[in-house]
């Protein structure tokens, strides 16, 4: 099964067509099955996710960090209250982080 087209932002189910959703759900099924069988599956090896939340969300942070770890990647958490030496906005920090990291949330 081939990945459909270039990377897209996924904000709502209606953003993706039926074929793309079917592909994503099949990939999820495969990944979950491998996880349950304790088979290593590291598609995010050497990838880093940077997370900045406007509001603290322990469950979301835990889910993202655990998922990245289980898929071979790493997660970095920054909060909007983290001081920085330049006094830049969280959005500017995300923009700068995109140069060093594969995924931002």
């Amino acid at each position: 099964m081939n990945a459909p087209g270039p990377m897209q932002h996924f904000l709502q189910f209606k953003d993706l067509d039926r074929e793309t959703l079917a592909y994503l759900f099949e990939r999820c099924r495969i990944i979950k099955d491998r996880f349950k069988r304790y088979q290593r599956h590291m598609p995010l090896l050497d990838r880093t996710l940077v997370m900045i939340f406007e509001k603290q969300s322990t469950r979301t942070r835990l889910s993202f960090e655990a998922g990245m770890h289980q898929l071979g990647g790493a997660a970095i958490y920054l909060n909007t209250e983290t001081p920085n030496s330049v006094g830049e906005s969280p959005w500017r920090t995300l923009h700068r982080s995109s140069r060093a990291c594969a995924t931002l949330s």
Side-chain angles (χ1 to χ4, degrees), residues 23-73:
Y23 170 79
L24 289 175
F25 285 127
E26 177 62 16
R27 292 290 302 151
C28 291
R29 188 194 64 72
I30 291 167
I31 290 169
K32 190 171 184 179
D33 182 60
R34 287 181 178 177
F35 181 75
K36 286 181 178 180
R37 294 172 188 234
Y38 297 96
Q39 295 176 343
R40 291 178 60 92
H41 181 61
M42 303 279 184
L44 300 179
L45 189 64
D46 297 327
R47 298 290 189 259
T48 302
L49 165 71
V50 173
M51 301 175 289
I52 298 180
F53 300 119
E54 287 186 81
K55 298 178 184 175
Q56 289 187 355
S57 177
T58 303
R59 287 180 292 183
T60 303
R61 178 182 173 186
L62 176 64
S63 296
F64 274 82
E65 287 185 3
M68 285 299 292
H69 177 74
Q70 291 166 2
L71 296 173

Side-chain angles (χ1 to χ4, degrees), residues 15-27:
D15 292 341
L16 304 176
D17 60 33
R18 184 179 295 270
E19 180 183 337
T20 303
L21 285 171
Y23 170 79
L24 289 175
F25 285 127
E26 177 62 16
R27 292 290 302 151

Side-chain angles (χ1 to χ4, degrees), residues 69-89:
H69 177 74
Q70 291 166 2
L71 296 173
I76 298 171
Y77 170 70
L78 302 173
N79 64 42
T80 55
E81 297 164 6
T82 302
N84 60 57
S85 60
V86 195
E88 62 190 13
S89 73

